[in-house]
Amino acid sequence: MTSHVPVAPDHVVTVDDEGRRTGTFERAAVHTTETPLHLAFSCYVLDDAGRLLLTRRALVKRTWPGVWTNSFCGHPRWTETTEESIVRHGRHELGLEIADLEVAVPGFRYRAVDASGVVENEICPVYTARAAGPVEPNPDEVVEVAWADPQDVARAVAATPWAFSPWMVLQVGALAVATPTGGGATARLAAAFGTATV
């Protein structure tokens, strides 16, 4: 079984409106009712059969606990690229090795407020990847996983957006109109989300 090493000392990288790094903030304290703009990422992972990995956020999460979302999300550290952060988080949250990582929606940004008043405020490029191994969820991060047909996912998001993270709801729409540069996971998701009844 994979050992999930804690990602401490953990922090987020704060940015200005143009995305320039301005400093760091302790991750455990950053999400409040006045969360500063910071860097993040979202990753959508497909298996070789073209199924999309969905995860249900752990019940101990500060924001949107227990909500279904994309494969995984995270925050780059000051000393790493977004791509390095994605590889690290894939291993930490899901015990998962990924391949064929590509940026799908580089300029994605959102702000959302959950029922408790806690704010997410992120510049959050969206990536896609292929699973290169099994999934072994870290219970501190993920309470449940599911592999699903991307068209079914897009239809479910359209029918019951309240059951999914607000960033995923927005990202499914953005991925549906993404312009893939190759024939990888981004192209497959764009085709599936674009043709779904949404």
Side-chain angles (χ1 to χ4, degrees):
M1 183 168 181
T2 301
S3 175
H4 297 284
V5 180
V7 289
D10 216 349
H11 61 267
V12 302
V13 177
T14 55
V15 292
D16 62 19
D17 279 336
E18 282 70 50
R20 294 182 294 250
R21 296 181 178 210
T22 59
T24 62
F25 208 107
E26 183 184 354
R27 181 175 174 267
V30 73
H31 294 106
T32 67
T33 57
E34 298 179 3
T35 303
L37 183 63
H38 58 279
L39 290 180
F41 69 83
S42 286
C43 191
Y44 288 69
V45 178
L46 297 181
D47 66 7
D48 290 338
R51 298 178 302 168
L52 174 61
L53 176 62
L54 299 177
T55 57
R56 187 170 165 235
R57 291 167 62 81
L59 300 179
V60 295
K61 286 284 192 179
R62 180 162 173 76
T63 58
W64 286 275
V67 170
W68 282 96
T69 192
N70 57 290
S71 306
F72 64 98
C73 303
H75 303 93
R77 292 180 177 160
W78 187 271
T79 56
E80 66 187 357
T81 66
T82 301
E83 291 78 9
E84 290 168 338
S85 180
I86 292 170
V87 170
R88 173 173 61 83
H89 277 274
R91 291 171 178 161
H92 169 71
E93 294 190 18
L94 295 166
L96 177 65
E97 297 296 330
I98 57 171
D100 305 329
L101 183 64
E102 57 185 313
V103 62
V105 187
F108 185 80
R109 176 178 173 174
Y110 78 101
R111 185 180 186 278
V113 184
D114 81 355
S116 70
V118 175
V119 174
E120 283 283 14
N121 186 20
E122 299 179 336
I123 291 178
C124 183
V126 180
Y127 285 74
T128 63
R130 179 178 58 82
V135 175
E136 297 180 19
N138 179 345
D140 292 336
E141 302 287 346
V142 174
V143 70
E144 194 173 354
V145 300
W147 291 97
D149 179 276
Q151 287 189 339
D152 292 342
V153 171
R155 293 185 185 107
V157 166
T160 58
W162 44 265
F164 298 90
S165 69
W167 57 89
M168 182 179 173
V169 173
L170 296 170
Q171 289 167 359
V172 166
L175 283 163
V177 296
T179 305
T181 56
T186 300
R188 295 176 84 169
L189 281 178
F193 289 169
T195 58
T197 305
V198 296

